[in-house]
């Protein structure tokens, strides 16, 4: 395979500010290199030391890493702990009255919860869940608005050793149903509604619909938090109000001490085939990853006001809302709404009002904020900011520059973080007090993360060349398996094509001559829409499930705001529609996908053809469709195409 060529040539470089270096947890490149050298010299000793420093153990571990059953690695596996204890109880003797969460609702109302208060709430819900006979190893689906209660639900599960699986509140009943079945969940924790951008979005009806689809007999209890007070259907004895469940419950709850390898959660992510993957994370290794990255990448200080804008339905909201900040004893912001409501200054106002020091958001949000008001940040006092972060997809250099100069006033380092649902915490990101920044580059691996770039045969490529991003050694926060499907885990992430040795991230990357890493995009058919991974196969399956549709193929094309737009090429069972017909069917199919999967997967554009471009052997020519979607001239060989006439059809957008 020819090396992947990078077409981005970025020459701007921004060394860390001397004042920032002086106070940094990891100060100067020499300190970074020293940690990397320590990890190379004694890998197990390096991670063992960090695990003893950061985690409170109920029973100390004596083994650091067990690699005997590759790739199902075990870390600290004779140790015992409890994650909720590490996030809450540990702070009760040192800072019980420190604010843990500042919650700002969609309408601007602010609620503060201290570590003592959060501990009380978690214990009450944990006791409530125990009264429903939910305990260690049981799976609980959490389908909640962005709220303190969502974190309480996650922490309560962790406290009793139940395994939570959070489903993003924007997903449909069908998506919820799939995840309930795959997890074999015994309970669902949800709310009557969520409020976003001034609109109420029902959640309880989606739960009812999902449970009515069949195959969900494992679910014995549905716990509903009353967010809005909207009337909802009630199923006795299955349904119980959150406030009734915690009434009169004790506000202390002895943590369930679990093995270091006990699953903390599963989180479903799109795959390139139809079935979502239940990524399973351990307890100790995962927590360690979130804590060291809080320390190194976010340069965490006790006085920080930390704000990660991610929803808890995604891994970023797990690692840098529900677990990492609380384990470090941080004060953090949680925000229910959207960046543009009631106006495009909402994010900047929150930073100003709460004196946020660390702001972590997605390039999608950054690009939409540029579009809605490039000069708006200048109207707010953002002087409290000391560090900016980016997550979810590569950030294009110009958006980076705006973020740096306009939001950070050219004094805040930007930590551009590359990691995945499967890695659990940051893998590649700049240590802000050490690494000179290049706009658009996630720079270098964290100490102890052995990342490199290889070609198709698994051989490392030299600097200046592109290839597949891999991680050569197991690391604590790596997912342990896919729920109920270890073989798929092995094949997906440790493919035999590369010798089965390395963790394959699924991204192509380039390492420049200075050794900086640049992420270039996915190597499979997974789209990155607004920082959310969506499998093309899932969207195609949803389209084909419509009675009108015979066949569908979905590709992505670059989008200024969302990163990628979803373009669907559709063949109907009847005649190819034209004019108003085509428009109406397109609208109906887009709405259909939104209902089947969720609004995030709704195609931006649908095009119709008599058939899809296929080779004579029947394989859909996806590269060709990508070129058509982007409006590019067709330069590839189409001689193997079954019916060349359809190219013209598919090039016609619906007006």
């Amino acid at each position: 395979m020819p090396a992947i060529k990078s077409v981005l040539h970025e020459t701007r470089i921004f060394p860390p500010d001397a004042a920032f270096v002086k106070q940094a947890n990891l100060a100067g490149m020499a300190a970074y290199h020293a940690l990397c050298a320590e990890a190379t010299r004694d890998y197990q000793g390096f991670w063992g030391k960090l695990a003893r420093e950061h985690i409170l153990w109920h029973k100390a571990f004596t083994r650091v890493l067990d690699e005997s059953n590759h790739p199902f690695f075990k870390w600290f596996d004779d140790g015992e702990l409890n994650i909720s204890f590490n996030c809450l109880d540990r702070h009760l003797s040192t800072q019980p009255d420190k604010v843990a969460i500042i919650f700002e609702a969609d309408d601007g109302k602010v609620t503060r919860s201290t570590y003592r208060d959060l501990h009380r709430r978690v214990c009450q819900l944990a006791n409530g869940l125990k009264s429903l006979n939910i305990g260690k190893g049981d799976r609980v689906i959490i389908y909640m608005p962005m709220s303190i209660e969502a974190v309480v639900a996650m922490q309560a599960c962790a406290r009793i050793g139940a395994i939570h699986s959070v489903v993003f509140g924007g997903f449909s009943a069908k998506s919820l149903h799939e995840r309930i079945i795959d997890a074999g969940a015994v309970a669902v924790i949800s709310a009557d509604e969520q409020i976003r951008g001034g609109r109420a979005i029902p959640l309880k009806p989606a739960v009812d619909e999902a449970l009515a689809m069949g195959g969900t007999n494992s679910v014995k209890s549905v716990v509903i938090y009353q967010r809005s007070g909207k009337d909802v259907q009630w199923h006795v004895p299955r349904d119980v109000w959150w406030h009734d469940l915690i009434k009169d419950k004790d506000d202390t709850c002895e943590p369930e001490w679990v093995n270091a390898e006990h699953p903390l959660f599963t989180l479903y992510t799109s795959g390139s085939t139809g079935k979502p993957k239940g990524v399973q994370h351990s307890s100790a290794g995962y927590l360690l990853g979130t804590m060291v990255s809080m320390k190194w990448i976010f340069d965490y200080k006790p006085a920080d006001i930390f704000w990660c804008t991610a929803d808890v339905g995604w891994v970023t909201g797990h690692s840098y809302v529900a677990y990492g900040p609380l384990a470090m004893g941080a004060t953090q912001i949680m925000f229910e709404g959207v960046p543009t409501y009631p106006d495009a200054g909402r994010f900047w106002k929150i930073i100003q009002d709460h004196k946020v020091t660390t702001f972590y958001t997605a390039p999608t949000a950054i690009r939409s904020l540029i579009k809605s008001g490039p000069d708006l940040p200048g109207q707010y006092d953002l002087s409290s900011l000391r560090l900016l972060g980016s997550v979810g997809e590569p950030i294009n250099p110009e958006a980076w520059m705006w973020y740096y100069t306009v939001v950070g006033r050219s004094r805040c380092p930007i930590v551009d973080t590359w990691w995945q649902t499967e890695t659990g915490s940051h893998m590649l990101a700049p240590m802000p007090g050490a690494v000179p920044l290049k706009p658009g580059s996630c720079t270098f691996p964290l100490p102890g993360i052995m990342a490199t770039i290889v070609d198709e045969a698994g051989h490392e490529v030299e600097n200046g060349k592109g290839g597949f991003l891999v991680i050569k050694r197991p690391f604590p926060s790596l997912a342990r398996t896919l729920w109920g499907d270890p073989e798929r885990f092995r094949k997906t992430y440790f493919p035999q094509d590369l010798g089965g040795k390395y963790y394959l991230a699924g991204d192509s990357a380039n390492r420049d001559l200075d050794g900086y890493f640049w992420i270039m995009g996915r190597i499979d058919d997974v789209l990155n829409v607004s920082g959310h991974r969506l499998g093309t196969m899932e969207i195609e399956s949803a389209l084909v499930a419509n009675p009108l549709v015979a066949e569908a193929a979905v590709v992505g094309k670059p989008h200024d705001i969302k990163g990628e737009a979803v373009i669907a090429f559709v063949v109907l069972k009847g005649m190819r529609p034209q004019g108003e017909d085509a428009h109406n069917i397109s609208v109906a199919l887009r709405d259909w996908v939104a209902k089947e999967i969720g609004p995030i997967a709704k195609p931006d554009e649908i095009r119709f053809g008599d058939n899809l471009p296929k080779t004579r052997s029947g394989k859909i020519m996806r590269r060709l469709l990508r070129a058509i979607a982007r409006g590019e001239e067709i330069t590839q060989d189409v001689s193997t195409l079954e019916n060349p006439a359809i190219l013209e059809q598919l090039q016609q957008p619906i007006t």
Side-chain angles (χ1 to χ4, degrees), residues 297-317:
I297 306 304
F298 292 128
D299 192 52
Y300 171 70
K301 302 288 191 296
D304 279 333
I305 307 293
F306 179 83
W307 183 20
C308 166
T309 66
D311 190 283
V312 290
W314 308 104
V315 74
T316 306

Side-chain angles (χ1 to χ4, degrees), residues 214-279:
T216 57
N217 292 342
S218 60
V219 176
K220 303 299 183 232
S221 307
V222 174
V223 179
I224 298 295
Y225 167 65
Q226 198 169 32
R227 166 66 185 92
S228 67
K230 175 87 171 169
D231 281 345
V232 290
Q233 284 189 344
W234 210 246
H235 300 264
V236 179
R238 184 194 75 187
D239 297 353
V240 56
W241 286 111
W242 177 304
H243 56 265
D244 287 338
L245 184 64
I246 64 170
K247 199 186 295 176
D248 305 324
K249 293 294 188 293
D250 199 342
D251 59 7
T252 60
C253 174
E254 180 67 13
E256 179 75 36
W257 303 109
V258 298
N259 183 275
E261 282 296 307
H262 178 73
L264 174 62
F265 66 87
T266 63
L267 186 57
Y268 286 85
T269 180
S270 297
S272 50
T273 61
K275 186 174 177 257
K277 304 184 294 237
V279 174

Side-chain angles (χ1 to χ4, degrees), residues 113-124:
S113 179
T114 62
Y115 275 92
R116 190 196 314 268
D117 174 62
L118 201 57
H119 176 266
R120 176 185 61 79
R121 292 164 72 162
V122 167
C123 286
Q124 282 184 324

Side-chain angles (χ1 to χ4, degrees), residues 310-337:
D311 190 283
V312 290
W314 308 104
V315 74
T316 306
H318 283 56
S319 302
Y320 302 109
V321 178
Y323 291 111
L326 295 177
M328 297 300 283
T331 297
Q332 65 171 320
I333 307 291
M334 281 187 78
F335 172 52
E336 183 178 35

